[in-house]
């Protein structure tokens, strides 16, 4: 199975292809297999289009790529957000029946959405750093899909053809800042508040996006345990709806909402504090393990 990822350091992320625990440098791979214009980022790969048989081509060049230092063990690398430079990060709110119920909201009649930005993106083990003016930091375990083919006015029946793959995302939220503004952005678009990854699992390797277990754990305690089948608006419906408002482009990230069990709904509330470790896991897609640091 080949997955898409980024590695390196903030500001200098490199695209990679992960196959069986080894990471192949994307720029080196696309040069080695003869692309006229090699690409070095996952977003650029998606914009180009992933050719059939790419995994076999990569493995066919493994020995020469390894000899040149372009193959690394996954555990030796700092893993970043798979798409560190998306054009858009679109998050769907109140999209699980049980989550709407726990916060006392009526299920919406159309998808509710808001934006995050690239400043929020961090990798699967990076530190979440709350801002100085919040006391109510929450976690939200979410399935995120990544667009692989541009589209506008996409029909529901065709929507999944526009998806390259899926990953795990934690829509970290400062509830006090979020509710101070009816547009929510102030509590959402915060630095480090969108850990994601650890990689993008391609659609061919996902059995059913709409039947995946979604969990969040804090300090080893399971606080969210849901399933994507309980979404109010399925992935295809969300894509179709959004495409009627804006053109969706390769690398765009759509986070599809969170199930019940957020910190605000526990009694007492289970706000994240310095020293917590938040794990978000989606069946077959991987796990995020992000420590919570001091405010900054």
């Amino acid at each position: 199975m080949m997955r898409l990822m980024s590695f390196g350091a903030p500001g200098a992320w490199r695209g990679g292809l992960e196959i069986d625990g080894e990471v192949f440098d994307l720029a080196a791979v696309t040069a080695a297999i003869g692309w006229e214009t090699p690409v070095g980022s996952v977003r650029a790969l998606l914009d180009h289009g992933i050719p059939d048989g790419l995994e076999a081509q990569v493995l066919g060049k493994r020995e020469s790529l390894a000899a040149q230092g372009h193959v690394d063990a996954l555990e030796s690398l700092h893993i970043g957000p798979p798409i560190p430079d998306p054009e858009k990060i679109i998050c769907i709110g109140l999209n699980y029946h049980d989550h709407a119920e726990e916060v006392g909201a009526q299920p919406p009649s159309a998808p509710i959405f808001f934006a995050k930005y690239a400043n929020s993106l961090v990798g699967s083990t990076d530190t979440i750093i709350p801002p100085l003016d919040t006391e109510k930091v929450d976690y939200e375990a979410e399935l995120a899909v990544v667009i692989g083919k541009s589209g506008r006015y996409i029909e529901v029946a065709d929507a999944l053809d526009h998806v390259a793959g899926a990953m795990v995302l934690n829509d970290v939220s400062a509830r006090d800042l979020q509710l101070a503004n009816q547009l929510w952005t102030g509590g959402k678009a915060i630095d480090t508040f969108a850990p994601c990854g650890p990689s993008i699992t391609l659609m061919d390797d996902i059995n059913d996006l709409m039947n995946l277990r979604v969990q969040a754990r804090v300090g080893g305690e399971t606080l969210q345990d849901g399933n994507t089948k309980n979404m109010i608006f399925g992935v295809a419906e969300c894509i179709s709806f959004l495409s009627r408002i804006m053109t969706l482009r390769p690398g765009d990230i759509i986070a599809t909402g969170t199930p019940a069990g957020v910190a605000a709904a526990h009694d007492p509330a289970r706000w994240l504090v310095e020293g917590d470790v938040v794990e978000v896991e989606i069946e077959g897609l991987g796990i995020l393990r992000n420590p919570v640091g001091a405010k900054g």
Side-chain angles (χ1 to χ4, degrees):
M1 180 189 298
M2 181 181 74
R3 301 178 192 250
L4 313 182
M5 58 175 295
S6 294
F7 65 95
W13 297 118
R14 299 183 65 82
L17 304 175
E18 188 265 313
I19 304 173
D20 296 330
E22 293 187 318
V23 178
F24 296 76
D25 182 274
L26 181 57
V29 163
T30 52
I33 64 177
W35 286 24
E36 183 176 345
T37 306
V39 300
S41 73
V42 173
R43 180 179 171 189
L45 174 65
L46 295 178
D47 198 45
H48 176 280
I50 303 172
D52 292 338
L54 179 58
E55 181 176 353
Q57 289 182 285
V58 172
L59 293 175
K61 297 287 186 179
R62 187 202 174 282
E63 289 190 15
S64 60
L65 288 165
Q68 297 171 58
H70 298 311
V71 184
D72 293 281
L74 177 62
E75 62 268 18
S76 71
L77 299 174
H78 177 197
I79 306 305
I83 307 276
D85 58 343
E87 180 181 284
K88 296 185 280 296
I89 306 169
I90 307 164
C91 302
I92 307 296
L94 291 175
N95 197 34
Y96 280 72
H97 289 282
D98 54 2
H99 177 51
E101 182 179 352
E102 75 177 351
V103 299
Q106 289 294 319
S109 57
I112 296 170
F113 69 96
F114 57 90
K116 289 200 176 199
Y117 307 98
N119 64 294
S120 294
L121 295 172
V122 291
S124 57
T125 61
D126 289 332
T127 301
I128 297 165
I129 302 174
L132 296 176
D133 346 353
T134 182
E135 301 297 331
K136 296 182 177 181
V137 180
D138 207 339
Y139 49 84
E140 291 191 15
E142 305 205 6
L143 170 72
V145 294
V146 178
I147 297 297
K149 182 173 74 173
S150 291
R152 183 88 158 98
Y153 299 112
I154 301 168
E155 298 295 334
V156 172
D158 302 324
L160 296 187
D161 294 337
H162 291 261
V163 177
M167 63 179 179
V168 188
L169 187 141
N170 185 356
D171 175 21
V172 185
S173 306
R175 297 298 187 196
D176 39 7
L177 303 183
Q178 174 186 345
L179 298 179
N181 185 315
Q182 63 180 347
L183 298 180
W184 295 3
T185 309
K188 296 284 192 174
I190 295 169
D191 293 353
T192 75
F193 268 36
C196 60
S199 58
I200 298 169
T201 301
L202 298 175
M203 284 294 285
D204 286 348
D205 296 313
I206 300 172
N207 183 43
D208 184 358
L209 280 177
M210 296 310 302
N211 188 18
L212 298 175
R213 191 178 185 185
V214 180
Q215 296 177 287
R217 297 180 289 272
V218 178
E221 179 185 0
T222 299
L223 300 178
Q224 287 185 287
D225 193 352
N227 191 293
T228 58
K229 67 185 178 183
N230 294 319
M231 287 184 188
I232 297 170
F233 303 101
V235 172
E237 292 173 278
C238 291
I239 290 170
S240 178
F241 174 83
L242 292 169
S243 77
R244 303 192 70 77
I245 298 167
M246 65 192 85
T247 300
L248 299 177
R249 302 190 187 280
D252 285 351
I253 298 168
I254 302 174
T256 58
T258 198
V262 297
H266 287 268
D267 187 15
R270 182 59 175 87
W271 306 120
L272 297 177
V273 296
E274 182 180 359
D276 280 338
V277 176
V278 188
E279 293 183 313
V280 175
E281 180 174 7
I282 297 182
E283 178 183 353
L285 303 187
I287 305 176
L288 313 177
R289 292 187 178 91
N290 299 98
V292 180
K295 294 180 182 181

